């Protein structure tokens, strides 16, 4: 088992979904529900493990739509933020996924991984500063719902990315902004990620330590609130 010396870390930045909170499977189930409806009669169904991990995990929502559809040789109009959720546009599919994810979170709440919570408590006991990041605009609501907001000094999410013009992963912009707010150079900061684009972002950003978690076994389908609809 790999180990690392906590005493050498000045700050640690955690990804949210799949690292801090058990919400990656909710994202994956929402993507499957939306994509399968769209793909019916066009292509094979969305695979909740391989397609999720390869094309949408860790990416901003619209980038995930584009990447997955491109993998099936499908191109859609971009549309816009006022599209009807589920419309045959990049924004329409993204909006449908977002609405379903929010509905699930509101209905069932959010759980934090106990092992991550234990690590956060230990880091803070040692005086190590912590941050949580996400490409999602719902990061603050998710972390608050899980009851762990108090364990982070800094939060950087999709709202910050939009305001600051930060690209999505594998660009390290989100993580570098978190390190800046923590007051530490990247070389003195560790990154904890479960998505390949996030691990790549940590490497590109010159962070002192990049820890990749394999949470793929936690992607068992989560029921969606309207999964019985035709």
């Amino acid at each position: 088992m790999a180990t690392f010396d906590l005493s050498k870390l000045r700050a640690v930045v955690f990804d949210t979904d799949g690292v801090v909170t058990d919400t990656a499977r909710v994202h994956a189930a929402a993507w499957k529900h939306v994509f399968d409806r769209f793909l019916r009669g066009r292509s094979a169904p969305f695979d909740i493990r391989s397609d999720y991990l390869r094309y949408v995990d860790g990416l901003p929502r619209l980038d995930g739509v584009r990447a997955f559809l491109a993998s099936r040789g499908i191109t859609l109009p971009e549309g816009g933020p006022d599209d009807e959720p589920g419309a045959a546009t990049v924004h329409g599919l993204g909006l449908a996924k977002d609405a379903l994810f929010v509905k699930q979170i509101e209905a069932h709440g959010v759980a934090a991984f106990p092992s991550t919570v234990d690590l956060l408590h230990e880091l803070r006991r040692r005086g190590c500063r912590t941050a949580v990041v996400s490409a999602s605009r719902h990061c603050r609501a998710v972390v608050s719902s899980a009851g762990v907001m108090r364990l982070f000094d800094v939060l950087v999410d999709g709202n910050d990315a939009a305001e600051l013009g930060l690209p999505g992963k594998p660009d390290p912009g989100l993580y570098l902004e978190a390190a800046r707010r923590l007051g530490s150079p990247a070389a003195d900061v560790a990154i904890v990620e479960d998505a390949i684009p996030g691990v790549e972002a940590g490497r590109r950003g010159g962070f002192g330590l990049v820890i990749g978690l394999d949470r793929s076994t936690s992607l068992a389908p989560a029921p969606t609130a309207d999964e019985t609809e035709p």
Side-chain angles (χ1 to χ4, degrees), residues 95-116:
L95 288 166
K97 182 269 174 181
D98 189 54
L100 187 53
F101 175 77
V102 171
K103 188 174 183 178
Q104 287 298 106
I105 294 304
E106 290 177 346
H108 303 292
V110 176
F113 287 105
S115 58
T116 303

Side-chain angles (χ1 to χ4, degrees), residues 7-74:
S7 67
K8 294 183 179 180
L9 299 178
R10 291 181 57 186
V12 181
V13 183
F14 293 80
D15 180 45
T16 304
D17 301 303
V19 174
V20 176
T21 59
D22 187 13
T23 41
R25 68 189 187 96
V26 184
H27 281 290
W31 279 121
K32 179 169 177 59
H33 184 82
V34 170
F35 280 136
D36 282 0
R37 280 191 165 191
F38 171 77
L39 292 172
R40 196 171 297 162
R42 292 184 173 94
S43 182
F46 179 86
D47 187 277
I48 206 161
R49 286 193 171 85
S50 63
D51 286 331
Y52 176 76
L53 293 172
R54 184 174 299 173
Y55 301 115
V56 301
D57 188 23
L59 296 181
R61 187 171 65 250
L62 299 182
D63 287 347
V65 174
R66 297 183 191 103
F68 172 70
L69 293 181
S71 76
R72 300 297 177 91
I74 298 172

Side-chain angles (χ1 to χ4, degrees), residues 166-206:
L166 301 176
K169 303 171 190 175
D171 186 276
L174 274 175
Y175 280 123
L176 290 172
E177 176 62 17
R180 186 190 69 79
R181 296 184 186 187
L182 287 168
S184 295
D188 293 337
V189 178
I191 301 297
V192 187
E193 257 286 358
D194 73 319
I196 292 174
V199 171
E200 180 62 24
R203 290 173 175 167
R204 291 187 186 184

Side-chain angles (χ1 to χ4, degrees), residues 37 40 226-230:
R37 280 191 165 191
R40 196 171 297 162
D226 55 351
E227 67 180 357
T228 58
E229 293 182 9

Side-chain angles (χ1 to χ4, degrees), residues 122-208:
E122 180 62 20
L123 288 170
R124 295 181 70 82
R125 187 185 71 80
R126 293 169 178 259
C128 186
R129 289 170 59 77
T130 57
V132 61
V133 304
S134 175
S136 171
R137 294 175 181 262
H138 303 298
C139 177
R140 187 173 298 276
V142 166
V143 173
S144 296
S145 178
V148 293
M149 191 69 229
R150 70 190 186 283
L151 297 178
F152 297 102
D153 301 294
V154 167
L155 180 147
V156 182
D157 65 5
N159 297 298
D160 297 301
E163 182 179 342
L164 297 171
L166 301 176
K169 303 171 190 175
D171 186 276
L174 274 175
Y175 280 123
L176 290 172
E177 176 62 17
R180 186 190 69 79
R181 296 184 186 187
L182 287 168
S184 295
D188 293 337
V189 178
I191 301 297
V192 187
E193 257 286 358
D194 73 319
I196 292 174
V199 171
E200 180 62 24
R203 290 173 175 167
R204 291 187 186 184
F207 288 90

